[in-house]
Amino acid sequence: MAQASTRVGTAAAVLPVSTSELQPQAVPLLERVRKQLQARVSTLNVGVSWASNFILVAGSFIVTPAILGALGEENYGIWLLVMSFIGQMRILDLGMTAGCMKFSAAYYESGNRERLIKVFDSSVAIFGASGFLALLLTAALMFILPALYPAALGGMQGIIAALGVGMALDLFCRPYAASLRGRSLFYVYDGIEIVTYLIFKLGLVLYFAHAGLNLWLLCVLTLMESVIRNGIVTVAAMRLCSWITLPRPWRAERDVVCSLIGYSGAVFLMALADVLRFQKDAAVIGWFMPEAPDQISIYGIGFRLVMLASTTIGVAWSVLIPKFSGLSEKHDTDALWALFRKANLNNAILTVFGLVNIGVFGLPFLKLWLGKGWVYESYVLQVIVLPAYFAAMLAGPACGLLAGIGKLNWLTALTMVEALVNVALSVALARDYGIYGVCLGTALPMLVFRGVLLPIVLRRELHLSCRQYYRLHALAVWLAGVYLVLIAGFAFIDYGNFLELFAACVASTLVYAGLLYWIVPELRPALARLLPRLKSRAA
C-alpha cells in the first residue's frame, strides 16, 4: 500500500491533473474489473480452490511428519481414531449445504430475492438444530468412546469435547458458507480457508511441533482455527450476499423446508454412506487390533496421497454444480452438455496425471517424507486402492451433473448399498487379513459400484448409454496405460533426496505434456500458447 501511494503521488506531481478529472476514469475501471471477475468466476473458483487444495496438500506433507514425530505413532493413531468419530458428525449436515447451495443458485439466477431470504431463514433453523444435536452427541461420545477403547482413549474426554464443539460450530455457520457457494463465490470461502490454515494448522502447529506438541495443544489449535474461519466466513457472507440478514430461524417456512428436505435427503444419505465407506476404517482397525494403534497410522498414511489427489481433482467439477443447476433452471440443454463434456475431459486429464504419478513415485516419496520402515506397508495399501479410485474419480463429473439437476434417487440408493457392502466386507476380512483386509473391503465395492453399476444409473437418469459412458472414458484409460508404461522406470530409481525426486517428477510431467499433445488434439492450441509463456518467464 505504501508503494502504491508513492507511485500515485509521483504521478500527481508530474501530471497537472486534478482529482476531479481522475474520478470519472476510476469508476469505469472498477466496473470493468468487476465484470471481468464475473465473466471468469468459474475459472477463479477453480483456480482458488486448487490453490487451497495445493496449500492443504503441501501443508499436509510438511505437518504430518512433524506431528507424527512430536506425538509418536501411538498418539498419532489415537488422534486419527478420535477424528474418525468426530468427523462422522458431518452427516448432521443432512445434505442441507448442497440443498441450500442449489436453491440459492437457482433463485439468484432468476432474481427471486424473496425466495432467497426464505431459503436462508429456513437453513438457519435447520442448521441450528443440527449444531445443537452435535453438542449432544459430543457429550455422549465423551462417555462412550473411552468405554469402547479404554486402552487408547481413556482420559481423552477433554479432547473429544473440544473437537466436538468445533464441529458443532461448523454446522451453525453452514448457512453462510452455503450462501457464498450459491452465488458461485467459492473463491471467497477458499481464500478464507487458505489464510486460517496457514496461520493455525501450518504455522502454529509447526512451531509447537518443535517447541513441544501434545494431543491437547493440537486440539486447541484445531478449535481456534474453526472459530476464526467461521467468524470471517459469516461476516463475508453478510457483506456479499444481500439477502442475508440477522438469523431469523422462527421465520422458517414449511414449503421451503420441505423443498430442502426433498433434495437434501438424498445428499444426506450419500454423506452417511461416505462416512461408512471412508471413515469407519479406523474404528474397525481399532476394534480388531486394540493393542496396535500404530496400525491406524500406517493405514491412514497409505490412503493419504490418494485421498488428497481425489479431493484436489474433485474441485475441478464440484465447483460446477451451481452452474449445472443454473443451466438446468434455464433449460439450456446444449450449454449443459457442453459443460459436462468439458468437465469430463479436464477431470480425466488430471485424474490420469495424479494417480499414475502416485503409483510410480508413491514409495520413494513416502521413504523420503517419513523415513519409517512401515512405509512399504502403506505403499501396498496405496496400490490396492488406486484402480478403485481411478474408476470413482472418472465418475465425478457425472455425479456432479446429477446433483446439479436434482436427480439423486438412484445414485443415493447405489451409494448406500455400496457403503453397506463396504462395511460388511471390511469387517469380514479384517479379522484374518488386518489392515489389508480393511483396504480390500473398501476398494472392491468401490470398483464394482462406480465402474460397473453407476453407468446403469446414468443410463436411467441421463439417458447416457453404458457404451457412451465407457467411450467417454476410453481416452483416460488409454492415456493412463501409455503414460504408466513411459514413466514406470522412474519407480526403480533410488532417490537420495527430494531434489532428485523433484527432477524425476518434472521429467514425468514433460512426458505427460508431450503425450497430451499427441493424443488429445483439443489441447494443442492451449499447449501451443502455454509454451511460449513458460519460455519467456524462464528467460
Side-chain angles (χ1 to χ4, degrees):
M1 290 295 294
Q3 292 177 352
S5 302
T6 304
R7 288 197 295 268
V8 173
T10 304
V14 175
L15 300 177
V17 181
S18 65
T19 306
S20 60
E21 291 176 271
L22 287 174
Q23 190 76 23
Q25 297 178 4
V27 175
L29 177 61
L30 294 175
E31 185 66 20
R32 286 198 301 271
V33 171
R34 186 182 65 83
K35 290 182 177 180
Q36 289 177 357
L37 288 176
Q38 290 179 343
R40 300 181 180 180
V41 66
S42 296
T43 303
L44 186 61
N45 281 332
V46 174
V48 177
S49 294
W50 271 348
S52 175
N53 277 279
F54 174 78
I55 292 172
L56 291 176
V57 170
S60 176
F61 292 151
I62 298 171
V63 169
T64 299
I67 295 177
L68 188 59
L71 299 180
E73 283 87 350
E74 290 192 5
N75 282 333
Y76 185 66
I78 291 171
W79 173 261
L80 294 180
L81 181 59
V82 173
M83 289 299 294
S84 70
F85 282 97
I86 297 298
Q88 290 179 20
M89 288 199 292
R90 290 190 179 94
I91 63 173
L92 296 177
D93 176 278
L94 303 176
M96 289 297 169
T97 296
C100 295
M101 182 178 68
K102 172 183 165 50
F103 287 106
S104 296
Y107 295 139
Y108 181 77
E109 290 289 338
S110 60
N112 194 334
R113 178 181 174 84
E114 181 181 356
R115 298 295 289 179
L116 279 170
I117 295 174
K118 290 180 178 179
V119 168
F120 175 74
D121 288 338
S122 300
S123 67
V124 168
I126 294 170
F127 281 113
S130 296
F132 181 71
L133 183 56
L135 293 176
L136 294 179
L137 286 176
T138 299
L141 288 175
M142 291 172 61
F143 296 96
I144 295 173
L145 291 183
L148 286 177
Y149 305 96
L153 301 184
M156 297 293 174
Q157 289 86 350
I159 290 175
I160 296 170
L163 293 176
V165 169
M167 183 61 65
L169 182 61
D170 278 341
L171 290 169
F172 285 129
C173 296
R174 287 289 172 87
Y176 300 94
S179 297
L180 287 174
R181 292 187 173 110
R183 268 207 62 186
S184 289
L185 298 177
F186 287 83
Y187 65 89
V188 175
Y189 181 86
D190 290 330
I192 295 170
E193 190 175 55
I194 289 173
V195 173
T196 55
Y197 177 84
L198 289 175
I199 294 174
F200 290 95
K201 292 187 177 180
L202 186 61
L204 291 177
V205 167
L206 284 179
Y207 170 77
F208 286 111
H210 290 86
L213 183 68
N214 54 42
L215 286 172
W216 176 248
L217 183 56
L218 182 59
C219 176
V220 170
L221 292 175
T222 303
L223 178 60
M224 289 175 59
E225 189 273 338
S226 179
V227 172
I228 300 299
R229 171 170 46 81
N230 283 295
I232 298 175
V233 166
T234 300
V235 173
M238 295 182 70
R239 293 292 302 272
L240 297 173
C241 301
S242 60
W243 64 89
I244 290 180
T245 59
L246 293 176
R248 297 177 297 184
W250 58 88
R251 293 196 177 185
E253 295 199 6
R254 186 173 184 177
D255 64 322
V256 177
V257 172
C258 290
S259 298
L260 289 171
I261 292 174
Y263 177 85
S264 302
V267 180
F268 162 68
L269 291 176
M270 286 193 290
L272 178 61
D274 284 340
V275 168
L276 294 176
R277 290 194 299 162
F278 301 119
Q279 297 190 26
K280 58 81 177 65
D281 296 340
V284 173
I285 296 170
W287 180 262
F288 284 100
M289 291 171 277
E291 302 301 328
D294 59 312
Q295 293 294 302
I296 301 175
S297 300
I298 295 171
Y299 188 90
I301 294 297
F303 272 71
R304 179 63 58 86
L305 295 179
V306 183
M307 290 291 290
L308 290 174
S310 175
T311 303
T312 303
I313 295 170
V315 168
W317 57 264
S318 62
V319 299
L320 298 177
I321 292 178
K323 289 293 182 183
F324 286 137
S325 181
L327 293 173
S328 176
E329 185 75 15
K330 296 177 181 178
H331 305 288
D332 193 346
T333 306
D334 292 337
L336 186 70
W337 283 105
L339 182 61
F340 175 64
R341 287 192 294 270
K342 183 177 180 181
N344 265 293
L345 178 61
N346 293 335
N347 180 68
I349 291 171
L350 294 171
T351 297
V352 170
F353 179 73
L355 296 191
V356 171
N357 277 287
I358 287 174
V360 172
F361 295 107
L363 180 58
F365 176 81
L366 291 175
K367 290 167 63 178
L368 292 173
W369 181 35
L370 299 175
K372 303 289 185 179
W374 45 258
V375 296
Y376 293 95
E377 299 176 62
S378 297
Y379 179 69
V380 172
L381 298 171
Q382 183 176 281
V383 172
I384 290 173
V385 299
L386 276 177
Y389 268 90
F390 185 72
M393 290 168 65
L394 289 182
C399 296
L401 178 58
L402 289 175
I405 64 177
K407 293 185 176 182
L408 292 174
N409 292 339
W410 282 93
L411 179 61
T412 302
L414 182 77
T415 307
M416 287 299 298
V417 175
E418 178 191 347
L420 294 175
V421 174
N422 183 325
V423 173
L425 196 58
S426 295
V427 172
L429 296 176
R431 186 182 303 276
D432 295 327
Y433 301 101
I435 57 176
Y436 300 106
V438 178
C439 182
L440 284 171
T442 298
L444 292 177
M446 186 189 299
L447 185 61
V448 173
F449 280 81
R450 299 293 149 173
V452 178
L453 299 181
L454 178 63
I456 300 175
V457 171
L458 298 178
R459 182 180 63 185
R460 178 185 179 90
E461 299 287 8
L462 301 178
H463 305 293
L464 182 72
S465 69
C466 295
R467 178 178 295 181
Q468 288 174 319
Y469 177 80
Y470 289 124
R471 187 176 296 171
L472 194 66
H473 297 305
L475 173 65
V477 176
W478 165 248
L479 192 62
V482 175
Y483 186 42
L484 179 60
V485 170
L486 291 176
I487 70 168
F490 287 116
F492 301 99
I493 298 176
D494 186 15
Y495 301 97
N497 51 58
F498 275 110
L499 183 60
E500 296 178 2
L501 181 62
F502 177 74
C505 291
V506 171
S508 73
T509 303
L510 295 176
V511 170
Y512 192 62
L515 191 60
L516 289 178
Y517 190 86
W518 173 50
I519 293 181
V520 188
E522 298 94 323
L523 295 179
R524 290 175 186 172
L527 290 172
R529 291 192 301 268
L530 179 62
L531 289 176
R533 294 179 184 177
L534 293 177
K535 290 181 180 178
S536 63
R537 290 182 181 180

